[in-house]
């Protein structure tokens, strides 16, 4: 990702600690040594990053069965953190105070959410039939299990 001022490149790269891309690096477009921005502040693989402005980025990291959204400045300081303990965020985009994200959980498929910093709402309903599908499948499987299961077989 190129910064809005066009001077810096941010990317997820491999640190010395493992084979998987894990840390966010900043590299001047003019050259020089890249700076590992997250090695000491976020000990999680970063899945998504985006520039908010030329001095701050938003980053998405997996935390257990959920996600954490970080706002980090180019000095390497976490200036904001929001935990989504029971939801997975798949992607995030930020423009000013507006944030769009794709979220899912163990009981809900991915949908688009919009936040203005104060209010948050789901704006897509692509999977409106999902709860009905799950309930009908649970009933079907439940009947099959009851009709086939016996402690004596």
């Amino acid at each position: 990702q190129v910064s809005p001022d066009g001077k810096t490149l941010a990317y997820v790269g491999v640190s010395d600690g493992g084979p998987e891309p894990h840390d966010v690096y900043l590299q001047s477009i003019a050259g020089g040594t890249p700076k590992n921005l997250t090695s000491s502040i976020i000990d999680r693989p970063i899945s998504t990053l985006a520039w908010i402005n030329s001095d701050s980025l938003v980053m998405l990291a997996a935390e257990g069965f959920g996600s954490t959204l970080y706002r980090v400045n180019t000095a390497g300081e976490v200036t904001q953190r929001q935990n989504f303990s029971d939801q997975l965020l798949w992607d995030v985009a930020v423009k000013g105070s507006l944030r769009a994200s794709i979220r899912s959980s163990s009981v809900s498929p991915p949908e688009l959410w919009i936040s203005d910093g104060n209010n948050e709402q789901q704006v897509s309903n692509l999977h409106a039939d999902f709860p009905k599908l799950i309930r009908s499948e649970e009933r079907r499987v439940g009947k099959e299990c009851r009709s086939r299961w016996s402690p004596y077989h």
Side-chain angles (χ1 to χ4, degrees):
Q1 298 268 340
V2 177
S3 63
D5 65 8
K7 295 180 181 178
T8 309
L9 178 67
Y11 62 94
V12 179
V14 177
S15 66
D16 296 335
E20 224 176 280
H22 191 270
D23 293 327
V24 174
Y25 289 85
L26 297 181
Q27 171 71 53
S28 170
I29 297 290
T33 304
K35 173 185 177 181
N36 188 330
L37 191 64
T38 59
S39 65
S40 64
I41 58 171
I42 303 172
D43 188 24
R44 299 276 183 261
I46 304 296
S47 61
T48 301
L49 72 124
W51 289 94
I52 297 171
N53 56 46
S54 293
D55 299 316
S56 295
L57 297 107
V58 64
M59 301 171 193
L60 191 54
E63 299 257 355
F65 293 107
S67 301
T68 300
L69 191 62
Y70 295 91
R71 182 177 180 152
V72 179
N73 63 27
T74 54
E77 302 164 327
V78 175
T79 58
Q80 191 175 5
R81 176 186 165 138
Q82 185 175 2
N83 193 298
F84 298 87
S85 60
D86 63 344
Q87 296 182 339
L88 230 83
L89 273 71
W90 296 94
D91 202 0
V92 65
V94 177
K95 180 80 172 183
S97 64
L98 193 63
R99 181 185 73 220
S101 62
I102 305 295
R103 284 198 227 162
S104 68
S105 72
S106 61
V107 295
S108 63
E111 295 288 357
L112 176 63
W113 289 74
I114 300 289
S115 170
D116 65 4
N118 297 316
N119 300 305
E120 193 162 44
Q121 66 181 25
Q122 180 181 332
V123 295
S124 71
N125 199 9
L126 302 172
H127 305 282
D129 289 337
F130 185 74
K132 288 186 252 174
L133 294 172
I134 293 298
R135 284 192 297 275
S136 68
E137 184 64 11
E138 286 173 347
R139 284 192 297 270
R140 184 188 68 76
V141 170
K143 286 178 186 173
E144 285 180 14
C145 289
R146 284 191 298 273
S147 64
R148 292 184 186 165
W149 185 86
S150 167
Y152 305 107
H153 290 128

